[in-house]
Amino acid sequence: MAPSAVNNLSHPCISEKKSGWMKWLSRIFRSGPNRGGGGSGSGSGSSSGGRLPQQLIGDQENIFRRAPARSTDDPSRAHKEKEELDHTIALSLAEDLKRRNRYRRRTENDEAISRELQDKMNLSPYPSVAPPQFHPGDYRYCSGCNRAIGYGNYLGCMGTYFHPGCFCCRSCGCPITEHEFSLSGKHPYHKSCFKELTHPRCEVCHQFIPTNRAGLIEYRCHPFWSQKYCPSHEHDNTARCCSCERLESWNARYISLGDGRSLCLECMESAIMDTGDCQPLYHSIRDYYEGMNMRIDQQIPMLLVERQALNEAIVGEKHGFHHMPETRGLCLSEEQTVTSILKRPKIGGHRLVGMRTQPQKLIRRCDVTAILVLYGLPRLLTGSILAHELMHGWLRLKGYRNLNPEVEEGICQVLSYMWLESEVMPGFRSGPSTSAASSSSSSSSSKKGGRSFTEKKLGEFFMHQIANDASTSYGDGFRTANAAVNKYGLRRTLDHIHMTGSFPV
């Protein structure tokens, strides 16, 4: 708008210049007749110049008639020029008013922002400091609430800024007021919260696992259950479940079986405590063998015994191989007197009381005298031991003689593993399931015809134990036998063992 105002103001000056020039030109033409030799009153002057002045006068009149339109003395022209000047002044004033309004709005907005920031500063619980010079373009924005920080205290951390109340722990959500804090990625934590999240706790004593001399966190971890615990608990007489191998936690008491063994509460739910309770399970496993065309014709006695009685029977047995460090079952070939459990004990506090036993004379009527199994083990573990020992009996009754330990123990472990599969994962392999036949066992889940999650998890653990056994006879023997059975089938593998005494390759 400013250049337009300048152009409008320049027009009256141009008009004045043109009017002055016209006045000068009119004076020239007025003095023309006098220079021609005649005054204005002598109409009949010299004959040689009479017509020329007349023409000049005519031209002069023609020019003069046009000159008044440009003269500043003309009232209409003066009025028009005055209107143009007024219009120019009005435009200039309007432009100036707009500039003032813009400046006034900007000033009011700045004052409003300043008042808002001042109010927030007055409400802050932190002591205020002298405000720096205010620059609207230099705002710092809080990374916690994404609002301008303005005046007052603030924190500069991790390359950004925070209100003191917005710098919060990622875990608990409370402001971090300590001088030191922990950082994970872009997220801050209280040191205590970060330790709670990352430092492992012992699942036995529930304390933070201490560091070793090198400053490293050292702990033990069960390969199947992933139970983490301090290394010291392996040597401080902490009880370990004889079934699932988990250590006893300080907030949960295990049941003592009275022979140096302890049982956790989960394994206790399906534990078989006396010979009478084990008979349905024993017969169901015999049926499992018969379903695979491996019928056992002889009636082999089966007894549940204590650890001491089993160890005594092992000493009196001349043949056979025993799983170390703990033997849980035995297929007897010699005549012995064994003390079996006649009546299941009751739980009194954290131990078993009221157990009744009786000695039993075992007479040899065939190559197998009896099958002995430790009492107090969960149903699935007891069944896998019975399946293993029954395979020993079947091999002896069918004339499989002089087998080396890796072959005999390996194929017996395969039958134990297959029976567990039929219980935990029915239909995984071709073969009969004993779930229906064993429905009368002591396990409450078995009485319902199904498997609880706890019992199924225990079965998977027992399968894991067989598959990952480190011994030569039981571990390597199982893996070799299982590979042969998967490749050639159980019947062809057994025929090859009978003929050659080894596994087919």
Side-chain angles (χ1 to χ4, degrees), residues 27 221 239 302 347 362 424:
R27 284 195 296 269
C221 183
M302 192 281 304
I347 300 177
L362 300 175
V424 177

Side-chain angles (χ1 to χ4, degrees), residues 21-165:
W21 180 78
M22 292 298 294
K23 291 179 180 180
W24 174 78
L25 184 61
S26 64
R27 284 195 296 269
I28 294 177
F29 283 111
R30 286 178 182 174
S31 61
N34 296 327
R35 293 172 61 185
S40 60
S42 58
S44 59
S46 170
S47 61
S48 60
R51 292 186 178 179
L52 181 58
Q54 182 65 34
Q55 292 176 356
L56 289 174
I57 292 173
D59 292 340
Q60 179 184 358
E61 290 175 354
N62 290 336
I63 293 173
F64 242 119
R65 290 193 185 101
R66 291 192 296 270
R70 297 181 179 269
S71 175
T72 55
D73 299 332
D74 189 4
S76 61
R77 178 60 182 174
H79 180 71
K80 184 175 182 181
E81 290 178 352
K82 184 177 183 303
E83 289 181 348
E84 291 177 351
L85 181 60
D86 293 340
H87 178 68
T88 302
I89 294 172
L91 291 176
S92 178
L93 292 175
E95 184 68 16
D96 184 65
L97 183 60
K98 290 181 180 180
R99 286 196 297 269
R100 292 182 180 179
N101 289 337
R102 284 199 299 269
Y103 178 79
R104 181 179 298 108
R105 285 195 297 271
R106 184 168 63 250
T107 303
E108 291 173 353
N109 291 337
D110 292 345
E111 291 176 354
I113 295 174
S114 178
R115 285 194 299 269
E116 181 180 358
L117 294 176
Q118 184 64 33
D119 293 339
K120 292 182 178 180
M121 183 189 68
N122 293 335
L123 293 176
S124 174
Y126 298 93
S128 60
V129 297
Q133 187 176 358
F134 178 73
H135 298 286
D138 295 339
Y139 287 155
R140 291 187 177 92
Y141 287 90
C142 175
S143 295
C145 64
N146 295 323
R147 300 179 65 182
I149 293 178
Y151 301 123
N153 295 334
Y154 65 91
L155 300 175
C157 182
M158 301 182 296
T160 184
Y161 303 97
F162 297 87
H163 290 112

